[in-house]
Amino acid sequence: MVARPLLCLVLLASGAALRSRDKEASLANPIRKVVTMLQSMQTKVQEEAEKEQALYDKYMCYCKTAGGDLQASIDKAGSSISELGNKIKAGQEEKVVLEEELKAAQSDRTAAKAAMAEATAIREKEAAAFAAEKADADKDIAAVDKAISAISTGMAGSFLQSSGAQILKQITMSKHDFLMDDERQDVLAFLSGSQEYAPQSGQILGILKQMADEMKKGAAEAAAAEEAAIKTYDALMAAKKKEVAALT
């Protein structure tokens, strides 16, 4: 019976001790919780700080390296801008020169075309004049040759009655470069019939042959001059056409 009260006292003491430990544990847990929380926050803050430091170090490294590259890029860009400015200036100066050359080329081309037109107009006038002179010379030479043939064959009388005699008279009076004055007077006297023609003397026939030779020589010289003028004109046209083509 004594053992039962003692057991009860032991149980009561054990329960009280247990309740005391539970109470202490319940009082210690909030503090531990706060401490744990603070430790966790400290760890987190430390990690964040380390991350921030890493980012900062990385940024500073970038600034140091990229800053040099950026300065190099800026210097290079400045050099490129200066070079571009020089090229633009040179281009503008070249443009001015080209514009002046273009104006000069246009002026030269206009002058070349004007020279071609002027030369063509002169050549056409010269050709027309030559054609008219040649026609007259051919007609006069034919008339003199006809007179020489008639007189040489003893047909002087019939010739003096023909229109050929009148044509020869006009030629004799107009061609002052081919006859001396006394020769002209002898031919005119012959054509008027005021003196008798003596075939054996050959005086009039010799004068007419000399006049015919001079007329043919003059015609040949005129033809040669015309041919030379044509060659000169053709050479000028070829040169001017080439010049115009080069200036176009």
Side-chain angles (χ1 to χ4, degrees), residues 101-115 240 243-244 247:
E101 290 179 352
L102 177 60
K103 289 180 181 179
Q106 291 175 339
S107 178
D108 292 344
R109 184 178 61 183
T110 300
K113 288 184 176 181
K240 290 299 180 181
E243 181 180 353
V244 170
L247 294 171

Side-chain angles (χ1 to χ4, degrees), residues 5-234:
L6 182 59
L7 179 61
C8 290
L9 289 173
V10 172
L11 291 174
L12 287 173
S14 299
L18 182 61
R19 284 192 299 269
S20 177
R21 286 196 300 271
D22 292 340
K23 185 177 181 181
E24 291 177 358
S26 63
L27 292 174
N29 283 341
I31 296 174
R32 175 57 57 185
K33 184 176 182 181
V34 171
V35 171
T36 302
M37 184 180 298
L38 290 175
Q39 290 176 344
S40 177
M41 291 177 63
Q42 182 180 5
T43 302
K44 187 173 182 181
V45 169
Q46 183 66 31
E47 291 176 353
E48 292 294 332
E50 290 175 355
K51 290 181 180 179
E52 291 292 335
Q53 184 65 40
L55 289 175
Y56 175 78
D57 293 341
K58 184 177 181 181
Y59 173 75
M60 291 303 294
C61 179
Y62 170 79
C63 289
K64 290 179 180 179
T65 56
D69 295 340
L70 179 60
Q71 185 61 44
S73 298
I74 292 172
D75 293 340
K76 184 177 180 181
S79 177
S80 298
I81 291 172
S82 178
E83 183 179 356
L84 179 60
N86 292 334
K87 288 183 179 180
I88 291 173
K89 183 179 179 181
Q92 290 174 340
E93 293 175 352
E94 184 178 2
K95 179 175 177 290
V96 172
V97 173
L98 290 176
E99 287 176 348
E100 292 298 327
E101 290 179 352
L102 177 60
K103 289 180 181 179
Q106 291 175 339
S107 178
D108 292 344
R109 184 178 61 183
T110 300
K113 288 184 176 181
M116 291 173 65
E118 182 180 2
T120 299
I122 293 173
R123 178 86 283 276
E124 289 175 350
K125 289 181 180 179
E126 290 177 347
F130 170 76
E133 291 176 2
K134 184 177 185 301
D136 291 339
D138 289 345
K139 182 178 65 175
D140 294 343
I141 291 171
V144 175
D145 285 343
K146 185 177 180 181
I148 292 172
S149 177
I151 296 171
S152 297
T153 56
M155 304 294 293
S158 61
F159 173 76
L160 292 175
Q161 302 300 318
S162 67
S163 59
Q166 296 301 317
I167 294 173
L168 181 60
K169 182 179 180 179
Q170 294 176 357
I171 294 172
T172 303
M173 293 177 65
S174 61
K175 304 298 181 182
H176 297 285
D177 296 337
F178 299 136
L179 294 173
M180 301 293 290
D181 289 340
D182 55 345
E183 292 174 338
R184 183 178 298 101
Q185 293 301 324
D186 289 341
V187 174
L188 291 175
F190 166 74
L191 293 174
S192 65
S194 60
Q195 71 175 23
E196 184 179 359
Y197 173 64
Q200 64 274 17
S201 66
Q203 181 181 2
I204 299 301
L205 187 61
I207 293 173
L208 293 179
K209 285 182 178 181
Q210 180 182 351
M211 184 171 68
D213 290 341
E214 292 294 331
M215 291 174 67
K216 291 175 182 179
K217 180 180 177 182
E221 291 176 350
E226 174 65 10
E227 184 178 355
I230 292 172
K231 290 181 179 180
T232 300
Y233 170 77
D234 290 342

